[in-house]
Amino acid sequence: MSKPRLRIGLIGSGFMGKAHVFGYTTAVRVFDLPFEPELHTLADITDDAAERAAAALGFARATSDWHGLVADPEIDVVSITAPNALHKEMALAAVATGKHVYCEKPLAPLAADAREMADAAVAAGVKTQVGFNYLCNPMLILARDMIAAGEIGEIRSYRGVHAEDYMADAEGPFTFRHDPAGGGALADIGSHALATAEFLMGPAAGPIVRVSGDCVTAIATRPDGHGGHRKVEVDDIGRAFLRFANGATGSIEANWIATGRKMQHDFEVYGTKGALVFSQERFNELHFFSTSDTRGRQGFRRIEAGPDNPPYGRFCVAAGHQLGFNDLKAIEVAGFIEAIAGQREEPFGFRAGLRVQSLVETIQASSRSGSWKDVP
Amino acid sequence: MSKPRLRIGLIGSGFMGKAHVFGYTTAVRVFDLPFEPELHTLADITDDAAERAAAALGFARATSDWHGLVADPEIDVVSITAPNALHKEMALAAVATGKHVYCEKPLAPLAADAREMADAAVAAGVKTQVGFNYLCNPMLILARDMIAAGEIGEIRSYRGVHAEDYMADAEGPFTFRHDPAGGGALADIGSHALATAEFLMGPAAGPIVRVSGDCVTAIATRPDGHGGHRKVEVDDIGRAFLRFANGATGSIEANWIATGRKMQHDFEVYGTKGALVFSQERFNELHFFSTSDTRGRQGFRRIEAGPDNPPYGRFCVAAGHQLGFNDLKAIEVAGFIEAIAGQREEPFGFRAGLRVQSLVETIQASSRSGSWKDVP
Amino acid sequence: MSKPRLRIGLIGSGFMGKAHVFGYTTAVRVFDLPFEPELHTLADITDDAAERAAAALGFARATSDWHGLVADPEIDVVSITAPNALHKEMALAAVATGKHVYCEKPLAPLAADAREMADAAVAAGVKTQVGFNYLCNPMLILARDMIAAGEIGEIRSYRGVHAEDYMADAEGPFTFRHDPAGGGALADIGSHALATAEFLMGPAAGPIVRVSGDCVTAIATRPDGHGGHRKVEVDDIGRAFLRFANGATGSIEANWIATGRKMQHDFEVYGTKGALVFSQERFNELHFFSTSDTRGRQGFRRIEAGPDNPPYGRFCVAAGHQLGFNDLKAIEVAGFIEAIAGQREEPFGFRAGLRVQSLVETIQASSRSGSWKDVP
Amino acid sequence: MSKPRLRIGLIGSGFMGKAHVFGYTTAVRVFDLPFEPELHTLADITDDAAERAAAALGFARATSDWHGLVADPEIDVVSITAPNALHKEMALAAVATGKHVYCEKPLAPLAADAREMADAAVAAGVKTQVGFNYLCNPMLILARDMIAAGEIGEIRSYRGVHAEDYMADAEGPFTFRHDPAGGGALADIGSHALATAEFLMGPAAGPIVRVSGDCVTAIATRPDGHGGHRKVEVDDIGRAFLRFANGATGSIEANWIATGRKMQHDFEVYGTKGALVFSQERFNELHFFSTSDTRGRQGFRRIEAGPDNPPYGRFCVAAGHQLGFNDLKAIEVAGFIEAIAGQREEPFGFRAGLRVQSLVETIQASSRSGSWKDVP
């Protein structure tokens, strides 16, 4: 194995921390990457926690000092999966020492912060990545390519939703996700719905240029963890009407109190010649309607993911066997590593994270004012 | 058969004219009705057309003079399935001679007209009906009853859509449905989405009290039938954010250019203890999620229509055999006839038709002004 | 209405008796039939029962004497929906007086009886019908036509099932359906699975020529209604391997103890160029896979029933609105009436009923012997 | 990382070779394993092929001499993914030098060979594994546990299928899978259907004790790669009727010419109190019907995989995110490694592989004789 090493420093070891590790681990075997990732150092809140996680996840070293990790000259890439409020400080510190940075979404609580981070990365000449893993799904890539190629004609309308139920219990505690600075369903999962909308529609319909927002707090207070209740000011449901540059219109909904929904990241796109319908609940399928099918034989067709849909074939040579959530993360990692090697553009760099954050804030501002807003 | 006769006069013999006849024909056999409907007279544009239709559909007489039909003292009920613009004149004339009136939706192009019609009917003491047949589905009745009984807890959010593709072809001609006075997708099929939303949510969440509309013309001009093109001013897509009286929020979308969709009259309702999901594309099913199911055994459950869901058992004693669209129409007719006999309230009288029309107009006004509007 | 009358005498007024009436009622309005059916006389076990049913269903007269009904010279058609064991006597009596006969399936408990009935009908020159209503579904007609036209290439294999749960409760009583002479799941619902298999495969793959049966009694005894239990000798589950004339192979399963299934009358047909998949649980859809679709865009396509699928358009001019079970019965009735008028062949005459009965008996014989049998 | 190393030698680097590597790679990060697998040596047909694959997959050494690999005292585990005909020789050689062996299915072309292999492994005291990865699905484990716990009552019937279309093209060449010694659809994929049937039914209904087979060659000859055609003697479709020890009955079908099917590894199990329905096409879902649900609220419930279904939670802490095919392989590997450490029984050792092979051969023998056979 003569490949150069890419030494990873990971901050955080929860859901997303593990997902990053699984991503690095799988990516290096599945793809023919220019670097061999090496799990170098893991930082967590305490030394103990860091050591346990490092042992479990295969890192050579552990630390409770993320500043040290970020400054360590042996480390090439910093993976940030700490709470949102820390993203900015960590990323700026890593960028300042010339590290490439892979940061979980949302990039930062506020667009202004995200902009500062994106600018710093450009200035430092490092590569960046934000974790919009749903966009790594071969079926979303297929959908985007079909739309761009005109397979469903000119695009007229879009309907997107991202609904889950992890905040449906009103007795669930107040967390950092409820923090007025950057929290709420729209920021947390609506960001996925918005990223998907622009990813799919962009090449054919252009970006979202104007929005009308409807952000709703459905659960007024939540337990504060000290026997009392704390007022919730962020949205549990965030909706928006959308205008795309080409005149197409649409809507998205983010809802984290949708009882029974675990992963309803769905969309429907309608064009002059066809339609595409997708549900993340069955994310290895894309449903395609085409008016060019023979009359009397038309219908929504269930395309199953297979080697015709790169990079599916890297994982499995036979169609219909299905990728999993962690596989999407491996595709995300692979794209980032290829970008570090200069083999491709950053798939979803800080600039893309900033863009989503701007959409979120514009929708929030529109909701507060009760009127349409142009997206800056 | 000693039942009293109920003599029907039908105006119009197209899609909905036939559906009314099928409704009367089936209802009398399936239900134990207080009257025996008799197909008395059919009116159409010309004598010829009327005679052909009367023969085909089983009416004893035919006429091209709807005024005569309405005035005929032998007739008890007038079924109006003529173009929308004529509904008001016909209904008022029928009401004036003491006839019960069954009018296809939308009741009238404008809420003001609908109000006049509703008031006239009340003043005359006749029974009225507007054709919201989707509400007659046993599975919608089940959904409403489950919501009302609290089976999914307190209601928090609603998502409704009615999408079809019958106007998707930009070369389809300008018709009365594109008339600025009363036309457009929101009025034509959004009326169904709104009727369903209030039907389901009403008992538990109260009526819709406030809306924000987004009405879009996607196809700017249509062939005028004389070699030229005519500007379209009505919406091809009408969306709205909704507020219900209890604070629940939601949205609906009406879209008649949704390529590939034939009957996407769907909804999702989320409560604190569960959810209901429905698609008219498979309208004999209701999907139910309940947090009271055993942990690890929860999931959306596909309830198939059966005799436990009245009036399904009238049609078939075994579950899973499925009702058809015309059966819904028969249920609608039966409810109307029972109301005429004083056995129940009017299921969806002119007052209900007016209500839907008001919602439509408020959404349109909101869209024009770009701001939220209270529903009068 | 100058159409000649076709006077109907109905024997029995249960599930299928009502379905016949709904069929006559709807057929005459939906189709342009050569005759106008008239509900003349209804016969049931007692005068009381007959009178109540006649009033409810719209018959002019009632009787407890089916012999009289059959002999009544005013009656043109006899509809037999009495228990299976009586079919033969009733049908032979009706045929003897020159009546056309519409008999519910199974035509007779034994193939020998069915043959006698079919021969008598031919000798008398009357038209006959057996109630295989599932075959009247426009989507089954579409499937048959697609197979016959080679749209899925040469046919290689078939998988059929008819599963319900109406006998799943071991405490359900012993009924005529458990009678060793003609009872059992294979005879009762396997007959549908077999009729569908030959209906679809016939034109392309020829009839079933050889079978291997597996008939199983899963519930050994059932309550006899007198406090004791009676031994069950018929099958609760009947399976068969099939050989078609062209060499294609397949299987069917009939199962009336399939807990949770209400109407699983499903099939999958695989050819060299495609496949068709169908479920009666969603009987307005047919799923079609074609290898001639563009590579990377292939998949099972959900064709929704519409006016392109005759006679759907008779019921509704718009696709996706869906037919119901009773509509299938109306299509069945219409075909029979057209056959009486000489406008077409009998859709499923006694000869077709005999054919299915022969298949059932050959499978049963094969199961008893544990070896393959040629179908006579 | 002080865990002891487990040095892996892999023979073969195709579809399944890669899947083994992905399995080892993922398993070590996702699970807390007693050993750290080390990719030691990869053997392939030529030195060149082996070196390329070793570099791509991360093995330290490469060789074209599998005998050397098997004899290498540094290696602890041999993974065999070479063509079926070589499994026996390789496995016996590996076992002889005290290696643990992980062999792809089918274990050997003939049950007699499989028995020899299983006996040798027991005699040598090594651990073995056969690649029945579908059984590693958390939803199959859930199904088995629900059946064993009586959640669907006493088991009455079973319907299984494994259908794909990778042999549907009659111009596809003759391969080792068509070899009369051990080839055919029943051996290749029917083995999965049989393994799943016994895995699920075993605890509640006991093993399969008697079968009636129907093995069919649908494509008579295939291109021999030298311009001619070679006669095919193995089955393209293999069906069987089944008897379980408790008297429950069932059927399976294996079909590798099912045009359009990519992974139809499906089952339906019916009990006295409920049913389970599963499709590998959507393998993160299990559909559950229970008669203990409230009347009028019953239906098949779509349970989505989540942390309640171990070991799903190892991969992802949130439900509905979905595992992929390679994740199943990682679960398989983890179970094997735990068995090597003596922490659990071998999940699917050579003895289990032999069992499946015996079922396959008994079905084949039954098909040839046209009569039922007891399973030895």
Side-chain angles (χ1 to χ4, degrees):
Chain A
M1 301 303 302
S2 55
K3 280 184 194 174
R5 296 263 155 172
L6 194 70
R7 290 154 305 183
I8 311 296
L10 170 68
I11 311 178
S13 64
F15 182 4
M16 277 302 131
K18 285 201 188 73
H20 279 223
V21 174
F22 298 163
Y24 287 115
T25 304
T26 299
V28 69
R29 292 283 76 84
V30 167
F31 293 93
D32 183 17
L33 296 180
F35 296 107
E36 174 87 13
E38 178 188 323
L39 302 178
H40 189 282
T41 303
L42 185 150
D44 213 325
I45 310 231
T46 65
D47 282 340
D48 249 31
E51 271 155 35
R52 272 199 313 274
L57 294 172
F59 281 80
R61 302 186 213 166
T63 178
S64 62
D65 171 26
W66 69 259
H67 294 89
L69 181 153
V70 161
D72 186 341
E74 286 196 354
I75 288 176
D76 303 304
V77 172
V78 177
S79 260
I80 302 173
T81 68
N84 304 346
L86 299 169
H87 288 183
K88 182 183 171 185
E89 185 186 358
M90 290 170 172
L92 288 179
V95 163
T97 59
K99 308 276 194 282
H100 306 292
V101 182
Y102 178 9
C103 184
E104 262 315 302
K105 50 132 297 254
L107 183 52
L110 299 175
D113 298 319
R115 188 180 314 275
E116 194 179 334
M117 295 159 76
D119 289 346
V122 170
V126 299
K127 302 296 182 183
T128 56
Q129 171 99 333
V130 187
F132 285 105
N133 48 281
Y134 300 121
L135 307 181
C136 298
N137 182 348
M139 300 319 269
L140 256 75
I141 297 168
L142 173 62
R144 184 201 56 187
D145 291 349
M146 291 174 73
I147 292 170
E151 292 191 41
I152 60 168
E154 277 177 67
I155 303 307
R156 283 172 169 165
S157 69
Y158 185 87
R159 210 185 305 142
V161 66
H162 191 124
E164 303 192 32
D165 66 2
Y166 59 102
M167 293 293 179
D169 181 0
E171 291 309 306
F174 194 101
T175 73
F176 75 87
R177 294 179 198 277
H178 301 97
D179 192 314
L186 186 68
D188 202 39
I189 54 177
S191 52
H192 285 302
L194 290 163
T196 295
E198 287 209 325
F199 175 78
L200 295 170
M201 299 282 279
I208 297 167
V209 293
R210 200 165 156 74
V211 298
S212 173
D214 179 27
C215 297
V216 178
T217 307
I219 298 173
T221 67
R222 286 185 177 272
D224 62 7
H226 308 291
H229 273 70
R230 184 162 164 193
K231 191 175 173 209
V232 176
E233 292 169 75
V234 300
D235 60 294
D236 293 306
I237 305 174
R239 301 181 184 91
F241 300 139
L242 310 174
R243 291 290 178 274
F244 294 87
N246 79 333
T249 68
S251 68
I252 57 102
E253 176 181 328
N255 189 331
W256 66 15
I257 56 169
T259 306
R261 290 296 182 186
K262 307 306 171 191
M263 186 39 70
Q264 190 188 24
H265 178 82
D266 299 357
F267 65 79
E268 307 193 12
V269 192
Y270 295 97
T272 51
K273 297 184 190 163
L276 293 175
V277 171
F278 172 84
S279 173
Q280 184 73 21
E281 293 182 351
R282 289 165 171 172
F283 75 73
N284 285 277
E285 303 174 8
L286 179 67
H287 297 257
F288 170 40
F289 185 96
S290 174
T291 57
S292 28
D293 286 346
T294 309
R295 185 168 169 174
R297 303 292 179 272
Q298 298 185 356
F300 279 91
R301 178 186 319 182
R302 181 165 69 96
I303 304 174
E304 294 180 270
D308 286 333
N309 312 114
Y312 176 100
R314 285 277 177 181
F315 292 85
C316 181
V317 298
H321 283 57
Q322 298 161 53
L323 302 188
F325 175 77
N326 289 335
D327 295 327
L328 303 187
K329 213 71 189 170
I331 298 172
E332 188 182 321
V333 164
F336 181 42
I337 291 179
E338 288 163 0
I340 290 173
Q343 297 178 345
R344 56 170 291 178
E345 293 291 302
E346 292 164 325
F348 317 100
F350 280 8
R351 194 65 64 192
L354 162 62
R355 169 67 188 168
V356 172
Q357 198 57 33
S358 297
L359 287 166
V360 166
E361 291 185 18
T362 311
I363 291 168
Q364 290 168 335
S366 164
S367 177
R368 281 191 302 272
S369 74
S371 60
W372 285 81
K373 295 280 180 205
D374 289 329
V375 179
Chain B
M1 300 301 302
S2 55
K3 280 183 190 170
R5 297 266 156 169
L6 193 71
R7 290 154 304 184
I8 311 297
L10 170 67
I11 310 179
S13 64
F15 182 4
M16 278 302 133
K18 284 202 189 74
H20 279 222
V21 173
F22 299 162
Y24 287 115
T25 304
T26 300
V28 69
R29 291 284 75 84
V30 166
F31 292 94
D32 182 18
L33 296 180
F35 296 107
E36 173 88 11
E38 177 188 325
L39 303 178
H40 188 281
T41 303
L42 184 152
D44 212 325
I45 309 231
T46 65
D47 282 343
D48 251 30
E51 270 155 34
R52 273 198 311 273
L57 295 172
F59 281 80
R61 301 185 213 166
T63 178
S64 62
D65 171 29
W66 69 259
H67 294 91
L69 180 152
V70 160
D72 186 341
E74 285 196 354
I75 288 176
D76 303 305
V77 172
V78 177
S79 260
I80 301 175
T81 69
N84 303 347
L86 298 169
H87 288 182
K88 181 184 174 186
E89 185 185 358
M90 290 171 172
L92 289 179
V95 163
T97 58
K99 307 278 192 283
H100 306 292
V101 182
Y102 178 9
C103 184
E104 263 315 303
K105 48 127 306 243
L107 183 52
L110 300 175
D113 298 319
R115 187 180 315 276
E116 194 179 335
M117 294 159 76
D119 289 347
V122 170
V126 298
K127 302 296 183 183
T128 56
Q129 170 100 332
V130 187
F132 285 105
N133 47 281
Y134 300 120
L135 307 181
C136 299
N137 182 349
M139 299 320 269
L140 256 76
I141 297 168
L142 172 62
R144 183 201 57 188
D145 291 349
M146 290 174 74
I147 292 170
E151 292 191 41
I152 60 168
E154 277 178 67
I155 303 306
R156 284 170 169 169
S157 70
Y158 185 87
R159 208 183 307 138
V161 64
H162 191 125
E164 303 192 32
D165 66 0
Y166 59 102
M167 292 295 179
D169 181 0
E171 291 308 306
F174 194 103
T175 72
F176 75 88
R177 293 179 197 275
H178 301 97
D179 192 314
L186 186 69
D188 204 38
I189 55 178
S191 51
H192 285 301
L194 291 162
T196 295
E198 287 209 325
F199 175 78
L200 295 170
M201 299 282 280
I208 297 166
V209 294
R210 199 163 157 75
V211 297
S212 173
D214 179 27
C215 297
V216 177
T217 307
I219 298 174
T221 67
R222 287 186 175 270
D224 63 5
H226 309 292
H229 274 69
R230 186 166 163 189
K231 192 176 175 207
V232 175
E233 292 170 73
V234 300
D235 61 293
D236 293 308
I237 304 174
R239 303 181 183 90
F241 300 139
L242 309 174
R243 292 289 178 276
F244 294 87
N246 80 332
T249 68
S251 68
I252 58 104
E253 176 181 328
N255 188 332
W256 66 14
I257 57 169
T259 306
R261 291 295 184 186
K262 306 308 170 191
M263 185 42 69
Q264 190 188 22
H265 178 83
D266 299 357
F267 65 78
E268 306 192 12
V269 192
Y270 295 97
T272 51
K273 296 185 191 163
L276 293 175
V277 170
F278 171 85
S279 173
Q280 183 74 20
E281 293 182 351
R282 290 164 170 173
F283 74 74
N284 286 276
E285 302 175 6
L286 180 66
H287 296 257
F288 170 41
F289 185 96
S290 174
T291 57
S292 28
D293 285 347
T294 309
R295 183 167 170 176
R297 303 292 178 271
Q298 298 185 357
F300 278 92
R301 179 185 317 182
R302 182 166 69 96
I303 304 174
E304 294 181 272
D308 285 332
N309 313 114
Y312 177 100
R314 284 279 176 180
F315 291 85
C316 182
V317 296
H321 283 57
Q322 298 161 52
L323 302 189
F325 175 78
N326 289 335
D327 294 327
L328 303 186
K329 213 70 191 169
I331 298 171
E332 187 182 322
V333 163
F336 181 43
I337 291 178
E338 288 164 1
I340 290 173
Q343 296 178 347
R344 56 170 289 179
E345 293 292 303
E346 292 164 325
F348 318 100
F350 280 8
R351 194 65 64 192
L354 162 62
R355 168 69 188 169
V356 172
Q357 197 58 32
S358 297
L359 287 167
V360 167
E361 291 185 17
T362 310
I363 291 168
Q364 289 167 335
S366 163
S367 176
R368 280 191 303 270
S369 73
S371 59
W372 287 80
K373 295 280 180 204
D374 290 330
V375 179
Chain C
M1 301 300 301
S2 56
K3 280 183 191 172
R5 297 264 156 171
L6 193 70
R7 290 154 305 183
I8 311 297
L10 170 68
I11 310 178
S13 64
F15 182 4
M16 277 303 132
K18 285 201 188 74
H20 278 223
V21 172
F22 298 163
Y24 287 116
T25 304
T26 300
V28 69
R29 293 284 74 85
V30 167
F31 293 94
D32 183 17
L33 296 180
F35 295 107
E36 174 87 13
E38 178 188 324
L39 302 177
H40 189 282
T41 303
L42 184 152
D44 213 324
I45 309 233
T46 64
D47 281 342
D48 251 30
E51 270 155 35
R52 274 198 311 272
L57 294 172
F59 281 81
R61 301 187 211 165
T63 178
S64 62
D65 172 27
W66 68 260
H67 293 90
L69 180 153
V70 160
D72 186 340
E74 285 195 356
I75 288 175
D76 302 305
V77 172
V78 177
S79 260
I80 302 174
T81 68
N84 304 346
L86 298 169
H87 287 182
K88 181 183 173 186
E89 186 185 358
M90 290 170 171
L92 289 178
V95 162
T97 59
K99 309 278 194 279
H100 306 293
V101 181
Y102 178 8
C103 184
E104 263 315 302
K105 50 130 299 247
L107 183 52
L110 300 174
D113 297 319
R115 188 181 313 277
E116 193 179 337
M117 294 159 77
D119 289 346
V122 171
V126 298
K127 302 296 182 183
T128 56
Q129 172 99 332
V130 186
F132 285 105
N133 47 283
Y134 300 119
L135 307 181
C136 298
N137 182 348
M139 300 319 270
L140 256 75
I141 297 168
L142 173 62
R144 184 201 56 188
D145 291 349
M146 290 174 74
I147 292 170
E151 291 190 42
I152 59 168
E154 277 177 67
I155 303 308
R156 283 171 169 168
S157 69
Y158 185 88
R159 209 184 308 140
V161 65
H162 191 124
E164 304 191 31
D165 66 1
Y166 58 102
M167 293 294 179
D169 181 359
E171 291 309 304
F174 194 102
T175 72
F176 75 87
R177 292 178 199 276
H178 301 98
D179 192 314
L186 186 68
D188 203 38
I189 54 178
S191 51
H192 285 303
L194 291 162
T196 295
E198 287 210 324
F199 176 77
L200 295 170
M201 299 283 278
I208 297 167
V209 294
R210 201 164 155 73
V211 297
S212 173
D214 178 28
C215 297
V216 177
T217 307
I219 298 173
T221 66
R222 285 185 177 272
D224 62 6
H226 308 292
H229 273 70
R230 185 163 162 191
K231 190 175 175 210
V232 175
E233 292 170 74
V234 301
D235 61 292
D236 292 307
I237 304 173
R239 303 181 184 91
F241 300 140
L242 309 175
R243 292 289 177 277
F244 294 86
N246 80 332
T249 69
S251 68
I252 58 104
E253 175 181 328
N255 188 333
W256 66 15
I257 56 170
T259 306
R261 290 295 183 186
K262 307 307 170 191
M263 184 41 68
Q264 189 187 25
H265 178 82
D266 299 357
F267 64 79
E268 307 192 13
V269 192
Y270 295 98
T272 51
K273 297 184 190 163
L276 293 174
V277 170
F278 171 85
S279 172
Q280 184 74 21
E281 293 182 351
R282 290 164 170 173
F283 75 72
N284 286 275
E285 302 174 6
L286 179 67
H287 297 257
F288 170 40
F289 185 95
S290 174
T291 58
S292 27
D293 285 347
T294 309
R295 184 167 169 176
R297 302 292 178 273
Q298 298 185 356
F300 278 91
R301 179 185 317 180
R302 181 165 68 98
I303 304 174
E304 295 182 271
D308 286 332
N309 312 114
Y312 177 100
R314 284 280 178 178
F315 292 84
C316 182
V317 297
H321 284 57
Q322 298 160 53
L323 302 189
F325 175 78
N326 289 335
D327 294 328
L328 303 187
K329 213 69 190 171
I331 297 172
E332 187 182 322
V333 163
F336 181 42
I337 292 178
E338 287 164 1
I340 290 173
Q343 296 178 347
R344 55 170 291 179
E345 293 293 301
E346 293 163 326
F348 317 100
F350 281 8
R351 193 66 63 192
L354 163 62
R355 169 67 188 169
V356 173
Q357 198 57 32
S358 296
L359 288 167
V360 167
E361 291 186 16
T362 310
I363 291 168
Q364 290 168 333
S366 163
S367 176
R368 281 191 302 271
S369 73
S371 60
W372 286 80
K373 295 280 180 203
D374 290 329
V375 179
Chain D
M1 301 300 303
S2 55
K3 278 183 192 172
R5 296 265 156 170
L6 193 70
R7 291 155 302 183
I8 311 296
L10 170 67
I11 311 178
S13 64
F15 182 4
M16 278 302 132
K18 285 202 187 73
H20 279 222
V21 173
F22 299 164
Y24 287 116
T25 304
T26 300
V28 69
R29 291 285 75 83
V30 167
F31 293 94
D32 183 17
L33 295 181
F35 296 107
E36 174 87 12
E38 177 188 325
L39 302 179
H40 189 282
T41 303
L42 183 151
D44 212 324
I45 309 230
T46 65
D47 282 342
D48 250 31
E51 270 154 35
R52 274 197 312 274
L57 295 172
F59 282 80
R61 302 186 211 166
T63 178
S64 62
D65 171 27
W66 69 259
H67 293 90
L69 181 154
V70 160
D72 186 341
E74 286 196 354
I75 288 175
D76 302 304
V77 172
V78 178
S79 260
I80 303 174
T81 68
N84 303 347
L86 298 169
H87 287 182
K88 182 182 172 185
E89 186 186 356
M90 291 171 170
L92 289 179
V95 163
T97 59
K99 309 275 192 283
H100 306 292
V101 182
Y102 177 8
C103 184
E104 263 313 304
K105 50 127 304 246
L107 183 51
L110 299 175
D113 297 320
R115 187 180 315 276
E116 195 180 334
M117 295 159 76
D119 289 346
V122 170
V126 298
K127 301 296 181 182
T128 56
Q129 171 99 332
V130 186
F132 284 106
N133 48 282
Y134 300 121
L135 308 181
C136 298
N137 182 349
M139 301 319 270
L140 255 75
I141 297 168
L142 172 63
R144 184 202 55 187
D145 290 350
M146 291 175 74
I147 292 171
E151 292 190 42
I152 61 168
E154 277 177 67
I155 303 307
R156 283 170 170 168
S157 69
Y158 185 86
R159 208 184 307 140
V161 65
H162 191 125
E164 304 191 31
D165 66 1
Y166 59 102
M167 293 294 179
D169 181 359
E171 291 309 305
F174 194 103
T175 73
F176 75 87
R177 293 178 198 277
H178 300 98
D179 192 314
L186 186 68
D188 204 40
I189 53 177
S191 51
H192 285 303
L194 290 162
T196 295
E198 287 210 325
F199 175 79
L200 295 170
M201 300 283 279
I208 297 167
V209 293
R210 199 164 157 73
V211 297
S212 173
D214 179 27
C215 297
V216 177
T217 307
I219 298 173
T221 67
R222 287 187 176 270
D224 62 7
H226 308 291
H229 274 70
R230 185 164 164 192
K231 192 176 174 208
V232 176
E233 291 169 74
V234 301
D235 61 292
D236 293 307
I237 305 173
R239 303 181 183 92
F241 300 139
L242 309 175
R243 292 290 178 274
F244 294 87
N246 80 331
T249 68
S251 69
I252 58 103
E253 176 181 329
N255 188 333
W256 66 16
I257 56 170
T259 306
R261 290 296 182 186
K262 307 306 172 193
M263 186 40 69
Q264 189 187 23
H265 178 83
D266 299 357
F267 65 79
E268 307 192 12
V269 192
Y270 296 97
T272 51
K273 296 184 189 164
L276 293 174
V277 170
F278 172 85
S279 173
Q280 183 74 20
E281 293 183 351
R282 289 164 171 175
F283 75 73
N284 285 276
E285 304 175 5
L286 179 67
H287 297 257
F288 170 41
F289 185 97
S290 173
T291 57
S292 26
D293 286 346
T294 309
R295 184 168 169 174
R297 302 292 178 271
Q298 298 185 357
F300 279 92
R301 176 186 319 182
R302 183 166 68 95
I303 304 174
E304 293 180 271
D308 286 332
N309 312 115
Y312 177 99
R314 284 277 177 181
F315 292 84
C316 181
V317 298
H321 283 58
Q322 298 160 53
L323 302 189
F325 175 77
N326 289 335
D327 294 327
L328 303 187
K329 213 69 191 170
I331 298 172
E332 188 183 320
V333 163
F336 181 42
I337 291 178
E338 288 164 0
I340 289 173
Q343 297 178 347
R344 56 170 291 180
E345 294 291 303
E346 293 164 325
F348 318 99
F350 280 7
R351 194 64 65 192
L354 162 62
R355 169 68 187 168
V356 173
Q357 198 58 32
S358 296
L359 287 166
V360 167
E361 290 185 17
T362 310
I363 291 168
Q364 289 168 335
S366 163
S367 177
R368 281 191 302 272
S369 74
S371 60
W372 286 80
K373 295 280 180 204
D374 290 329
V375 179

